[in-house]
Amino acid sequence: MYESSPSQTDAHRFFREIVEPTVGEFMVDPSDKRRGCLACLVLASLTEHYTLTFADASKNERKEMKLAFYKENKAVQWVAKVANATRHVVRDPKFKAIGFSDIQTMNMGQCDVLRCGWPIDGEEVLVGSEHEWRLADLLEWAMDFWRQKLASA
């Protein structure tokens, strides 16, 4: 678990108090679409907390920092896509966005769902236009990214 000291920022506290428990609740049951969407919403919000804390006041600089995070870690970008799909519902081809219908709880181990390294039993939330990502993996990778960023901040 991420340790915090009294001198840490609002971004650190948001991560510890909101993001970690929300993502943890989803990881207990990776078939729970509601908890998965909530985890993506709070984790994507961490980007805003972080950029407001560590970037200059310029909106443009915060946007550039966010885009740099997306390039550095594609899981962070995918989590933002799921959060946007949760909020905006409709797929927007202009931004290569996914829609809410691209977030589905599916049975694992069936044709089109059976992939190397994936579980072969149970249900999980899959995301993408072809359900190419396990939400649990994306959240885990994005959490690792943010733990490293916050530890070095």
Side-chain angles (χ1 to χ4, degrees), residues 22-37 105 122-125 135-136 139:
T22 306
V23 172
E25 288 169 359
F26 169 72
M27 294 305 230
V28 170
D29 179 8
S31 69
D32 190 329
K33 184 176 177 178
R34 180 186 63 83
R35 285 185 176 171
C37 288
T105 300
E123 291 185 331
E124 285 205 34
V125 177
L135 186 56
L139 286 167

Side-chain angles (χ1 to χ4, degrees), residues 14 25 56 59 69 82 84-85 96 108 112 118 146:
F14 182 77
E25 288 169 359
D56 287 341
K59 184 177 180 181
F69 292 157
V82 172
N84 287 332
K96 298 180 183 173
M108 303 301 287
D112 294 335
W118 283 22
W146 283 114

Side-chain angles (χ1 to χ4, degrees), residues 5-93:
S5 69
S7 65
Q8 290 185 325
T9 67
D10 286 339
H12 290 90
R13 284 187 292 280
F14 182 77
F15 181 79
R16 186 184 70 249
E17 295 171 9
I18 306 298
V19 175
E20 278 191 318
T22 306
V23 172
E25 288 169 359
F26 169 72
M27 294 305 230
V28 170
D29 179 8
S31 69
D32 190 329
K33 184 176 177 178
R34 180 186 63 83
R35 285 185 176 171
C37 288
L38 291 173
C40 289
L41 285 166
V42 299
L43 194 51
S45 294
L46 179 60
T47 306
E48 303 302 324
H49 283 264
Y50 189 91
T51 58
L52 282 169
T53 301
F54 295 106
D56 287 341
S58 151
K59 184 177 180 181
N60 191 44
E61 183 176 338
R62 292 193 312 267
K63 182 179 178 180
E64 287 177 18
M65 182 183 273
K66 186 189 307 186
L67 293 174
F69 292 157
Y70 294 168
K71 286 181 183 176
E72 185 177 346
N73 187 300
K74 294 295 182 189
V76 173
Q77 183 178 27
W78 270 98
V79 165
K81 287 180 180 187
V82 172
N84 287 332
T86 301
R87 286 192 304 264
H88 304 297
V89 184
V90 179
R91 180 193 320 238
D92 187 343

